[in-house]
Amino acid sequence: DAKTTQPNSMESNEEEPVHLPCNHSTISGTDYIHWYRQLPSQGPEYVIHGLTSNVNNRMASLAIAEDRKSSTLILHRATLRDAAVYYCILRTSGGGADGLTFGKGTHLIIQP
Amino acid sequence: SQTIHQWPATLVQPVGSPLSLECTVEGTSNPNLYWYRQAAGRGLQLLFYSVGIGQISSEVPQNLSASRPQDRQFILSSKKLLLSDSGFYLCAWRETGTGVSYEQYFGPGTRLTVT
């Protein structure tokens, strides 16, 4: 999987939007951008994924740059339960049978 | 709906003792199965994955082994634990076939402490 770069940590206030950036300058044309998050003492959970167009689901939105070299995960209204480590992961088309390659992710801190 | 179970939730074992962690998935057939480990203060590391019964691929050479005796059962084992085996062990599964989502779903994990 191609490499991604994320800030080590970010802090936001409750009920405010949060924009989590991810750089992936070596992304290939068949790489999907996946986001997972890991709450304390739990396994990771899938958040969202996309290829070229912006994506929305019940948890978040994913904004993908036109050149696909970066993307931003958007939490529209952060709650204390969104405090977690967020991982940006590139996966080739179809995912492949092999596992996910997790980087260090971004530790999101939510202040009440 | 699909569910994934792992047990035990926590485990304290002495150095040199054997290990057996079990993972089962319900509500799906022929899933891909994965074992990950998260050592204290470190990221998630893929240990093994399986695309079918008896088919195991190892990502990291170590004193751990994995087996898949049934379609929805994945077992992580060791004959002799080392202190460095301590960590949070996570099992995950993924659907297979055409037109399916490629998300991975993780279990609740087993926290292993080797003393």
PDB file of all heavy atoms in Angstrom, chain B residues 12-29:
ATOM      1  N   VAL B  12      -3.490 -13.132  31.186  1.00  0.00           N
ATOM      2  CA  VAL B  12      -2.166 -12.942  31.772  1.00  0.00           C
ATOM      3  C   VAL B  12      -1.489 -14.300  31.787  1.00  0.00           C
ATOM      4  O   VAL B  12      -2.013 -15.246  32.381  1.00  0.00           O
ATOM      5  CB  VAL B  12      -2.250 -12.359  33.197  1.00  0.00           C
ATOM      6  CG1 VAL B  12      -0.844 -12.180  33.772  1.00  0.00           C
ATOM      7  CG2 VAL B  12      -2.997 -11.035  33.194  1.00  0.00           C
ATOM      8  N   GLN B  13      -0.361 -14.396  31.113  1.00  0.00           N
ATOM      9  CA  GLN B  13       0.325 -15.667  30.975  1.00  0.00           C
ATOM     10  C   GLN B  13       1.808 -15.506  31.319  1.00  0.00           C
ATOM     11  O   GLN B  13       2.416 -14.484  30.996  1.00  0.00           O
ATOM     12  CB  GLN B  13       0.220 -16.178  29.530  1.00  0.00           C
ATOM     13  CG  GLN B  13      -1.180 -16.585  29.091  1.00  0.00           C
ATOM     14  CD  GLN B  13      -1.567 -17.932  29.648  1.00  0.00           C
ATOM     15  OE1 GLN B  13      -2.221 -17.986  30.699  1.00  0.00           O
ATOM     16  NE2 GLN B  13      -1.178 -18.997  28.975  1.00  0.00           N
ATOM     17  N   PRO B  14       2.426 -16.518  31.920  1.00  0.00           N
ATOM     18  CA  PRO B  14       3.864 -16.432  32.199  1.00  0.00           C
ATOM     19  C   PRO B  14       4.683 -16.707  30.946  1.00  0.00           C
ATOM     20  O   PRO B  14       4.225 -17.361  30.000  1.00  0.00           O
ATOM     21  CB  PRO B  14       4.080 -17.543  33.245  1.00  0.00           C
ATOM     22  CG  PRO B  14       2.986 -18.514  33.003  1.00  0.00           C
ATOM     23  CD  PRO B  14       1.810 -17.719  32.518  1.00  0.00           C
ATOM     24  N   VAL B  15       5.888 -16.181  30.942  1.00  0.00           N
ATOM     25  CA  VAL B  15       6.826 -16.448  29.846  1.00  0.00           C
ATOM     26  C   VAL B  15       7.026 -17.951  29.705  1.00  0.00           C
ATOM     27  O   VAL B  15       7.143 -18.672  30.694  1.00  0.00           O
ATOM     28  CB  VAL B  15       8.184 -15.765  30.130  1.00  0.00           C
ATOM     29  CG1 VAL B  15       9.244 -16.266  29.172  1.00  0.00           C
ATOM     30  CG2 VAL B  15       8.049 -14.255  30.026  1.00  0.00           C
ATOM     31  N   GLY B  16       7.040 -18.421  28.466  1.00  0.00           N
ATOM     32  CA  GLY B  16       7.263 -19.839  28.209  1.00  0.00           C
ATOM     33  C   GLY B  16       5.999 -20.674  28.165  1.00  0.00           C
ATOM     34  O   GLY B  16       6.046 -21.852  27.780  1.00  0.00           O
ATOM     35  N   SER B  17       4.870 -20.089  28.508  1.00  0.00           N
ATOM     36  CA  SER B  17       3.612 -20.846  28.488  1.00  0.00           C
ATOM     37  C   SER B  17       3.007 -20.799  27.084  1.00  0.00           C
ATOM     38  O   SER B  17       3.341 -19.936  26.279  1.00  0.00           O
ATOM     39  CB  SER B  17       2.630 -20.258  29.503  1.00  0.00           C
ATOM     40  OG  SER B  17       2.276 -18.939  29.161  1.00  0.00           O
ATOM     41  N   PRO B  18       2.094 -21.738  26.782  1.00  0.00           N
ATOM     42  CA  PRO B  18       1.453 -21.729  25.463  1.00  0.00           C
ATOM     43  C   PRO B  18       0.322 -20.706  25.399  1.00  0.00           C
ATOM     44  O   PRO B  18      -0.144 -20.194  26.414  1.00  0.00           O
ATOM     45  CB  PRO B  18       0.912 -23.161  25.338  1.00  0.00           C
ATOM     46  CG  PRO B  18       0.658 -23.573  26.746  1.00  0.00           C
ATOM     47  CD  PRO B  18       1.711 -22.901  27.582  1.00  0.00           C
ATOM     48  N   LEU B  19      -0.104 -20.435  24.163  1.00  0.00           N
ATOM     49  CA  LEU B  19      -1.163 -19.456  23.942  1.00  0.00           C
ATOM     50  C   LEU B  19      -2.150 -19.980  22.913  1.00  0.00           C
ATOM     51  O   LEU B  19      -1.764 -20.615  21.922  1.00  0.00           O
ATOM     52  CB  LEU B  19      -0.577 -18.143  23.423  1.00  0.00           C
ATOM     53  CG  LEU B  19      -1.588 -17.073  22.977  1.00  0.00           C
ATOM     54  CD1 LEU B  19      -2.267 -16.462  24.193  1.00  0.00           C
ATOM     55  CD2 LEU B  19      -0.914 -16.011  22.134  1.00  0.00           C
ATOM     56  N   SER B  20      -3.413 -19.723  23.146  1.00  0.00           N
ATOM     57  CA  SER B  20      -4.429 -20.007  22.136  1.00  0.00           C
ATOM     58  C   SER B  20      -5.513 -18.943  22.231  1.00  0.00           C
ATOM     59  O   SER B  20      -6.190 -18.836  23.244  1.00  0.00           O
ATOM     60  CB  SER B  20      -5.037 -21.399  22.351  1.00  0.00           C
ATOM     61  OG  SER B  20      -6.008 -21.663  21.351  1.00  0.00           O
ATOM     62  N   LEU B  21      -5.638 -18.149  21.188  1.00  0.00           N
ATOM     63  CA  LEU B  21      -6.687 -17.133  21.100  1.00  0.00           C
ATOM     64  C   LEU B  21      -7.631 -17.541  19.975  1.00  0.00           C
ATOM     65  O   LEU B  21      -7.189 -17.949  18.905  1.00  0.00           O
ATOM     66  CB  LEU B  21      -6.105 -15.749  20.796  1.00  0.00           C
ATOM     67  CG  LEU B  21      -5.071 -15.202  21.770  1.00  0.00           C
ATOM     68  CD1 LEU B  21      -4.616 -13.816  21.322  1.00  0.00           C
ATOM     69  CD2 LEU B  21      -5.615 -15.149  23.181  1.00  0.00           C
ATOM     70  N   GLU B  22      -8.916 -17.388  20.227  1.00  0.00           N
ATOM     71  CA  GLU B  22      -9.884 -17.835  19.241  1.00  0.00           C
ATOM     72  C   GLU B  22     -10.748 -16.682  18.741  1.00  0.00           C
ATOM     73  O   GLU B  22     -11.084 -15.762  19.480  1.00  0.00           O
ATOM     74  CB  GLU B  22     -10.767 -18.934  19.829  1.00  0.00           C
ATOM     75  CG  GLU B  22     -11.656 -19.609  18.809  1.00  0.00           C
ATOM     76  CD  GLU B  22     -12.202 -20.939  19.298  1.00  0.00           C
ATOM     77  OE1 GLU B  22     -11.658 -21.501  20.263  1.00  0.00           O
ATOM     78  OE2 GLU B  22     -13.184 -21.413  18.686  1.00  0.00           O
ATOM     79  N   CYS B  23     -11.096 -16.771  17.475  1.00  0.00           N
ATOM     80  CA  CYS B  23     -11.935 -15.770  16.826  1.00  0.00           C
ATOM     81  C   CYS B  23     -12.965 -16.499  15.971  1.00  0.00           C
ATOM     82  O   CYS B  23     -12.614 -17.427  15.234  1.00  0.00           O
ATOM     83  CB  CYS B  23     -11.073 -14.872  15.954  1.00  0.00           C
ATOM     84  SG  CYS B  23     -11.971 -13.752  14.853  1.00  0.00           S
ATOM     85  N   THR B  24     -14.222 -16.115  16.093  1.00  0.00           N
ATOM     86  CA  THR B  24     -15.248 -16.692  15.227  1.00  0.00           C
ATOM     87  C   THR B  24     -16.107 -15.575  14.644  1.00  0.00           C
ATOM     88  O   THR B  24     -16.328 -14.547  15.271  1.00  0.00           O
ATOM     89  CB  THR B  24     -16.154 -17.676  15.986  1.00  0.00           C
ATOM     90  OG1 THR B  24     -16.778 -17.012  17.069  1.00  0.00           O
ATOM     91  CG2 THR B  24     -15.365 -18.864  16.495  1.00  0.00           C
ATOM     92  N   VAL B  25     -16.570 -15.807  13.445  1.00  0.00           N
ATOM     93  CA  VAL B  25     -17.420 -14.852  12.738  1.00  0.00           C
ATOM     94  C   VAL B  25     -18.754 -15.518  12.448  1.00  0.00           C
ATOM     95  O   VAL B  25     -18.801 -16.702  12.082  1.00  0.00           O
ATOM     96  CB  VAL B  25     -16.753 -14.392  11.428  1.00  0.00           C
ATOM     97  CG1 VAL B  25     -17.627 -13.373  10.705  1.00  0.00           C
ATOM     98  CG2 VAL B  25     -15.376 -13.805  11.708  1.00  0.00           C
ATOM     99  N   GLU B  26     -19.825 -14.786  12.619  1.00  0.00           N
ATOM    100  CA  GLU B  26     -21.160 -15.296  12.332  1.00  0.00           C
ATOM    101  C   GLU B  26     -21.820 -14.458  11.250  1.00  0.00           C
ATOM    102  O   GLU B  26     -21.558 -13.267  11.131  1.00  0.00           O
ATOM    103  CB  GLU B  26     -22.020 -15.248  13.600  1.00  0.00           C
ATOM    104  CG  GLU B  26     -21.532 -16.152  14.722  1.00  0.00           C
ATOM    105  CD  GLU B  26     -22.364 -15.992  15.987  1.00  0.00           C
ATOM    106  OE1 GLU B  26     -23.275 -15.140  16.003  1.00  0.00           O
ATOM    107  OE2 GLU B  26     -22.099 -16.725  16.961  1.00  0.00           O
ATOM    108  N   GLY B  27     -22.693 -15.087  10.477  1.00  0.00           N
ATOM    109  CA  GLY B  27     -23.510 -14.348   9.525  1.00  0.00           C
ATOM    110  C   GLY B  27     -22.885 -14.093   8.174  1.00  0.00           C
ATOM    111  O   GLY B  27     -23.396 -13.282   7.396  1.00  0.00           O
ATOM    112  N   THR B  28     -21.809 -14.776   7.866  1.00  0.00           N
ATOM    113  CA  THR B  28     -21.175 -14.625   6.562  1.00  0.00           C
ATOM    114  C   THR B  28     -20.505 -15.944   6.196  1.00  0.00           C
ATOM    115  O   THR B  28     -20.286 -16.795   7.053  1.00  0.00           O
ATOM    116  CB  THR B  28     -20.148 -13.481   6.565  1.00  0.00           C
ATOM    117  OG1 THR B  28     -19.693 -13.256   5.222  1.00  0.00           O
ATOM    118  CG2 THR B  28     -18.951 -13.796   7.447  1.00  0.00           C
ATOM    119  N   SER B  29     -20.193 -16.105   4.927  1.00  0.00           N
ATOM    120  CA  SER B  29     -19.524 -17.328   4.471  1.00  0.00           C
ATOM    121  C   SER B  29     -18.250 -16.972   3.720  1.00  0.00           C
ATOM    122  O   SER B  29     -18.190 -15.963   3.015  1.00  0.00           O
ATOM    123  CB  SER B  29     -20.444 -18.125   3.526  1.00  0.00           C
ATOM    124  OG  SER B  29     -21.581 -18.582   4.207  1.00  0.00           O
TER     125      SER B  29
END
